[in-house]
């Protein structure tokens, strides 16, 4: 039997137990951080030589030059053409859906001219431009994450990023054809078979072979996360993501096996993933618990799932669906399923979630692979203030200001007054000079 936590909002200690459930903070292992700091400094100082050395040490890949660690476009295309037809068709369909969705996102430049008497001829606006170069980190080896390639590379392409550089570790030379095929579909420009903190350092600082990027996106292990944290400011990063999360709001009418498997879908990621069911029906909660116990032995990753459910899983009984939505907003989960009747009507009640999956047939796993919206989502409650990865993350906004002679007189008086008030007379005089012309 899975020892998953049972909570009820009517319990006297509910608030305390809910706080304990949500009290996850990403642990920063000091030894990991020290190792990462050393690697970053070494790659910054020695460039290619350091990357080659760490790749030999950590990935068992013995090469004499960086050219041996770069894959050609021909190799990417060969990986794509070599896929079984079923896999290729699925990958192409997912890529097209991700593209279709993100093409609706781009921010656009705009400007307007003022018509007020005192500022006529003054133009204000915003110029939107893409980043020049982005680095994409993709986990490698036996793990296969072609979906991460699509979700990170395609919105960058839609945004207009000129140069996309991907790094993917290939321990002992083990290439994953699905990942390389996804890189071909997403039109990644260069692919280097390196990983870990050394790959993050190479992207952030540049080496003799690997160009410096403006932003690094994509998931990785604890060393990659620590490296991204440390290089932030030198380059942009997407986020330092915590463990995966799912919260299912159910009215008690969905097949309990469906809900159990949806909870498993995130629990199988790692032992710290969070899976929560919120429901007003006590009998139904017990039916889901029974499904969890019955289905767990059928899962290849059952040990990871059990640990996640017992560490951070919960079955929460609420008074009604309104209260369920309140609990969901407090947790602000990465993935939120509305497995209820008339699910559309409840969407407006949800204010904080990375993605909302509406209706009984909308499993979270569809969002991970092929629905279209991005699967890179805020975790650990950060959906209260953060958004999914999108085209806007690969663009920047520049303000446009053109002040007419009339505007310089009107605005100059305002600016000078405020500048003197702040004790910055040079600011004031710079504005006043235009008054005198």
């Amino acid at each position: 039997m899975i020892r998953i936590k049972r909570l009820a909002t009517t319990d006297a200690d509910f608030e305390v137990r809910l706080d304990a459930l949500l009290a996850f903070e990403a642990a920063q292992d000091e030894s990991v951080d020290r190792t990462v700091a050393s690697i970053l400094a070494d790659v910054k100082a020695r460039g290619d030589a350091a990357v080659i050395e760490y790749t030999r040490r950590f990935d068992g890949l013995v090469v004499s030059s960086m050219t041996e660690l770069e894959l050609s476009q021909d190799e990417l295309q060969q990986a794509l053409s070599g896929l079984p037809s079923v896999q290729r068709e699925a990958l192409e369909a997912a890529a097209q859906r991700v593209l279709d969705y993100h093409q609706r996102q781009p921010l656009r430049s705009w400007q307007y001219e003022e018509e007020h008497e005192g500022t006529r001829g003054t133009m204000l606006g915003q110029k939107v431009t893409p980043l020049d170069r982005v680095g994409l980190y993709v986990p490698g080896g036996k793990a296969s994450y072609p979906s991460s390639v699509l979700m990170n590379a395609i919105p960058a392409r839609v945004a207009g990023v000129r140069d996309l550089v991907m790094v993917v570790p290939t321990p002992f030379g083990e290439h994953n054809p699905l990942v390389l095929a996804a890189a071909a579909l997403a039109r990644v420009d260069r692919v280097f078979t390196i990983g870990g903190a050394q790959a993050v350092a190479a992207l952030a600082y540049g080496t003799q072979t690997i160009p410096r990027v403006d932003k690094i996106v994509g998931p990785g292990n604890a060393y990659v996360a620590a490296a991204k944290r440390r290089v932030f400011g030198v380059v942009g990063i997407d986020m330092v993501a915590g463990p995966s999360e799912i919260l299912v709001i159910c009215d008690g009418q969905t097949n309990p096996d469906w809900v159990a498997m949806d909870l498993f879908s995130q629990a199988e990621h790692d032992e710290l993933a969070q899976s929560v069911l919120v429901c007003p029906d006590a009998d139904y909660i017990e039916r889901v618990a029974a499904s969890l116990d019955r289905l767990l032995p059928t899962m290849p990753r059952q040990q990871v799932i059990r640990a996640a459910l017992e560490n951070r899983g919960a079955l929460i009984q609420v008074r009604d669906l309104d209260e369920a939505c309140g609990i969901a907003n407090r947790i602000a989960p990465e993935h939120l399923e509305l497995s209820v009747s008339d699910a559309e009507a409840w969407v407006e009640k949800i204010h904080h979630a990375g993605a909302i999956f509406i209706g009984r047939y909308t499993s979270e796993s569809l969002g991970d692979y092929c629905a279209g919206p991005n699967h890179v989502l805020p975790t650990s409650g950060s959906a209260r203030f953060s958004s999914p990865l999108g085209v806007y993350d690969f663009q920047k906004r520049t303000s446009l200001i053109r002040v007419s002679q009339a505007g310089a007189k009107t605005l100059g008086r305002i600016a000078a007054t405020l500048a003197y008030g702040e004790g910055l007379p040079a600011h004031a005089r710079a504005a006043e000079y235009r008054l005198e012309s």
Side-chain angles (χ1 to χ4, degrees):
M1 179 179 291
I2 301 170
R3 295 188 299 275
I4 189 169
K5 298 175 183 66
R6 307 291 216 283
L7 285 73
T9 54
T10 54
D11 294 341
D13 62 349
F14 172 75
E15 294 294 333
V16 173
R17 295 183 67 198
L18 182 61
D19 285 342
L21 181 71
L22 302 180
F24 171 80
E25 291 186 10
Q28 294 190 34
D29 188 313
E30 290 185 7
S31 65
V32 169
D33 201 49
R34 283 194 299 271
T35 299
V36 166
S38 174
I39 292 171
L40 293 178
D42 195 19
V43 172
K44 185 177 182 181
R46 295 198 296 130
D48 285 352
V51 172
I52 290 170
E53 182 180 314
Y54 290 120
T55 301
R56 182 185 302 120
R57 184 190 307 177
F58 298 130
D59 291 339
L61 205 55
V62 181
V63 299
S64 57
S65 71
M66 286 295 294
T67 58
E68 298 173 72
L69 294 174
E70 183 170 6
L71 300 179
S72 68
Q73 289 296 320
D74 285 345
E75 289 174 287
L76 302 184
Q77 289 297 330
Q78 287 168 13
L80 178 60
S81 61
L83 290 180
S85 59
V86 173
Q87 279 190 340
R88 177 166 181 166
E89 289 166 9
L91 195 63
E92 289 175 338
Q96 187 61 52
R97 293 186 63 84
V98 173
L99 177 63
D100 290 345
Y101 178 85
H102 287 86
Q103 282 179 329
R104 290 165 169 78
Q105 279 189 344
L107 298 172
R108 289 176 172 81
S109 301
W110 52 265
Q111 62 185 54
Y112 65 92
E113 289 208 12
E114 295 191 3
E115 296 297 331
H116 306 297
E117 185 65 34
T119 57
R120 183 173 288 116
T122 292
M123 182 275 289
L124 303 173
Q126 173 180 275
K127 180 182 179 182
V128 175
T129 52
L131 304 181
D132 286 337
R133 182 180 292 122
V134 168
L136 167 59
Y137 190 99
V138 179
K142 292 183 179 179
S144 175
Y145 294 101
S147 58
S148 289
V149 179
L150 301 181
M151 295 291 179
N152 286 277
I154 289 176
R157 281 298 182 211
V158 172
V161 173
R162 185 192 67 210
D163 192 12
L164 190 57
V165 182
M166 184 173 116
V167 293
V168 54
T170 56
F172 302 101
E174 183 176 4
H175 293 187
N176 191 291
L178 265 175
V179 167
L180 303 188
L185 281 177
R187 297 186 295 116
V188 173
D189 294 289
R190 301 180 72 180
V191 177
F192 294 91
T193 56
I194 60 174
Q198 62 271 22
V200 174
L203 292 171
Y205 304 126
T207 71
Q208 295 86 344
T209 302
I210 299 176
R212 177 180 175 178
V213 303
D214 302 310
K215 190 167 190 172
I216 300 172
V217 299
N221 61 18
Y223 291 88
V224 172
K228 285 173 69 176
R229 233 184 248 112
R230 278 187 167 270
V231 300
F232 177 63
V234 176
V235 293
I237 62 172
D238 49 354
M239 63 183 73
V240 179
S244 192
E245 305 159 350
I246 186 171
L247 185 147
V248 180
I249 294 177
C250 188
D251 56 7
Q253 300 303 311
T254 305
N255 185 323
D257 285 357
W258 293 11
V259 172
M261 197 58 67
D262 289 351
L263 297 176
F264 283 174
S265 72
Q266 297 312 293
E268 73 175 347
H269 277 294
D270 67 64
E271 292 85 349
L272 291 176
Q274 183 169 79
S275 298
V276 176
L277 168 64
V278 184
C279 178
D281 187 332
D283 290 339
Y284 180 78
I285 288 175
E286 293 310 314
R287 289 168 62 201
V288 170
S291 290
L292 293 173
D293 288 332
R294 178 170 48 80
L295 294 173
L296 182 63
T298 71
M299 304 306 298
R301 294 176 61 80
Q302 60 180 278
Q303 291 182 336
V304 173
I305 292 172
R306 177 185 291 277
L309 292 178
E310 294 185 350
N311 286 335
R312 303 189 67 225
L315 306 175
I316 302 177
Q317 184 184 353
V318 291
R319 295 176 179 86
D320 52 36
L321 292 180
D322 274 306
E323 188 172 54
C325 291
I327 297 295
N329 286 326
R330 179 168 171 185
I331 294 175
E334 179 185 18
H335 309 97
L336 187 147
E337 290 187 3
L338 287 172
S339 192
V340 298
S341 297
D342 194 19
E344 296 276 359
W346 293 94
V347 173
E348 289 303 311
K349 296 274 189 178
I350 302 300
H351 307 304
H352 306 304
I356 303 173
F357 299 81
I358 305 165
R360 304 188 201 282
Y361 287 93
T362 314
S363 71
E364 180 280 331
S365 58
L366 301 182
D368 275 349
Y369 295 105
C370 60
N374 211 287
H375 77 193
V376 180
L377 301 168
T379 61
S380 304
S382 62
R384 293 178 294 108
F385 52 82
S386 296
S387 305
L389 189 74
V391 172
Y392 32 75
D393 290 296
F394 301 100
Q395 296 174 321
K396 54 190 176 61
R397 300 175 299 281
T398 302
S399 299
L400 300 176
I401 307 168
R402 187 196 69 216
V403 179
S404 64
Q405 185 174 4
K409 294 183 182 299
T410 299
L411 300 178
R413 294 187 184 96
I414 297 171
T417 299
L418 295 176
Y420 281 129
E422 291 187 352
L424 298 172
H427 282 66
R429 291 300 296 149
E432 287 173 337
Y433 278 165
R434 273 73 174 180
L435 301 180
E436 298 164 2
S437 62

